[in-house]
Amino acid sequence: MSVVQPFPRPHSGRTLRVVEEFDRDVYWCHMHANLARSPGRACFTLPLIDDILSYQRHLGERMRQRDRDSVAHVVLTSDTDVFNLGGDLELFSRLIREREREGLLDYARQCVRGVHAFHAGLGAGVHSIALIQGSALGGGFEAALSCHTIIAEQGAMLGLPEVLFDLFPGMGAYSFLCKRVSPRVAEKLMLDGEMYSAEQLHAIGVIDAVVPRGEGRQAVEDVVRANRRTPRALAAMHQVRELAQGVNLEEMMRITEIWVDTALRLGDKSLRTMDRLVRAQSRRTGIEAA
């Protein structure tokens, strides 16, 4: 049985479409659900972050109360033809110009709480899956990296473009990448500003699987089916991973403070570059809507 749920209800513009398959313990979180009705940028706006955090809390509490042997799965994906274009650069630019350190830090901390929750299985042993069907940039890439399994369709492009405006991805990229590749490779991905194909990242171990276009959902089903064969072993492995490879939330919070303080030192040239990227994202959305 599948049930579509809007979360959270207080927002007038729903940004997250949730499909709950209770019988299979699979929970689909579709970002950017609001863009079909009102075109905007497919990035981490404050309403989207609030929706994700709210649903994470809601689902985590339910999972901790249940008494079942199976492992639940939460899938992070998108209702648009991009996964996520990253942080809200328009908001960043305004807060930096206004020297609003607390506002920028609060945004960053909320993002960190969200990605860490996916990494930590919502504190309830949930297996998180990122299904990438289109571009995943900056914070969008970081969100995918926070998940236990990353599946991308052919043609998806991923990258960390923050260096283009003299910043670095500070909401989990380094911590999560270093669990998949060497620190040297992680730093290269973070500082070269390049876009990479899903195939390139799969070859070096950043992405778990690349499948033909249109077959991403089936690939998710295959992961769920495989995990269901050995639920106790998988649950135990989640505990082992958390002990041996877990990313500390305090570490991530400290890194994001470095990100905020670096952002506040950006000059006019960097901010103008940020503004150009905002306009490029808006033009892309307009083309998609047309």
Side-chain angles (χ1 to χ4, degrees):
M1 179 178 65
S2 298
V3 179
V4 178
Q5 296 276 14
F7 284 92
R9 289 180 177 81
H11 288 298
S12 57
R14 188 173 68 195
T15 65
L16 190 69
R17 181 173 65 89
V18 176
V19 178
E20 298 186 316
E21 299 185 55
F22 296 109
D23 54 333
R24 302 192 312 130
D25 255 355
V26 180
Y27 305 88
W28 300 78
C29 297
H30 300 79
M31 297 181 286
H32 321 308
N34 58 313
L35 298 189
R37 303 186 305 275
S38 177
R41 289 174 296 115
C43 64
F44 279 115
T45 61
L46 283 170
L48 177 58
I49 296 167
D50 288 345
D51 285 1
I52 290 173
L53 290 171
S54 178
Y55 187 66
Q56 286 176 330
R57 289 190 294 268
H58 171 82
L59 183 59
E61 289 172 3
R62 279 168 47 191
M63 294 300 103
R64 285 188 289 273
Q65 294 170 3
R66 69 184 191 148
D67 183 20
R68 298 180 63 172
D69 289 333
S70 64
V71 173
H73 293 77
V74 60
V75 185
L76 183 65
T77 187
S78 172
D79 265 347
T80 69
D81 70 348
V82 299
F83 180 76
N84 191 294
L85 298 176
D88 189 342
L89 299 183
E90 186 173 26
L91 177 64
F92 293 174
S93 178
R94 178 175 63 80
L95 292 176
I96 291 169
R97 286 185 167 100
E98 295 175 358
R99 317 305 297 168
E100 286 284 349
R101 185 180 189 275
E102 287 307 310
L104 197 59
L105 184 58
D106 181 66
Y107 175 97
R109 284 173 171 167
Q110 293 289 80
C111 289
V112 165
R113 291 186 183 98
V115 295
H116 186 268
F118 284 126
H119 170 74
L122 309 187
V126 174
H127 187 91
S128 54
I129 301 173
L131 172 56
I132 302 172
Q133 298 166 300
S135 300
L137 306 181
F141 192 4
E142 289 176 300
L145 288 168
S146 73
C147 294
H148 300 128
T149 301
I150 305 175
I151 298 169
E153 292 188 356
Q154 291 174 351
M157 299 297 292
L158 303 92
L160 299 165
E162 287 85 349
V163 72
L164 298 179
F165 40 86
D166 201 19
L167 199 54
F168 73 99
M171 297 164 204
Y174 188 76
S175 301
F176 296 136
L177 277 171
C178 285
K179 301 302 180 182
R180 291 176 173 264
V181 296
S182 70
R184 181 182 62 83
V185 173
E187 290 176 22
K188 179 181 185 300
L189 294 173
M190 292 172 64
L191 294 176
D192 64 13
E194 297 291 333
M195 293 286 288
Y196 292 89
S197 69
E199 292 83 355
Q200 288 174 301
L201 294 176
H202 178 251
I204 62 174
V206 173
I207 288 177
D208 297 296
V210 179
V211 299
R213 287 186 180 181
E215 297 184 15
R217 291 182 69 89
Q218 183 56 53
V220 170
E221 298 295 345
D222 293 342
V223 171
V224 172
R225 189 180 305 110
N227 287 347
R228 192 166 288 134
R229 295 192 191 106
T230 55
R232 293 179 182 83
L234 180 65
M237 190 54 63
H238 273 285
Q239 295 180 50
V240 171
R241 182 192 292 115
E242 184 65 23
L243 288 170
Q245 295 288 323
V247 174
N248 185 277
L249 180 59
E250 183 179 348
E251 166 193 311
M252 294 181 66
M253 288 296 186
R254 179 67 189 103
I255 290 172
T256 211
E257 285 191 39
I258 296 172
W259 178 87
V260 167
D261 290 335
T262 303
L264 289 171
R265 292 196 295 271
L266 295 179
D268 288 340
K269 180 180 178 181
S270 295
L271 293 174
R272 288 196 299 270
T273 300
M274 200 178 291
D275 294 339
R276 285 196 296 272
L277 290 174
V278 170
R279 292 194 293 272
Q281 290 177 357
S282 299
R283 284 196 301 270
R284 174 180 181 139
T285 302
I287 291 170
E288 289 166 359

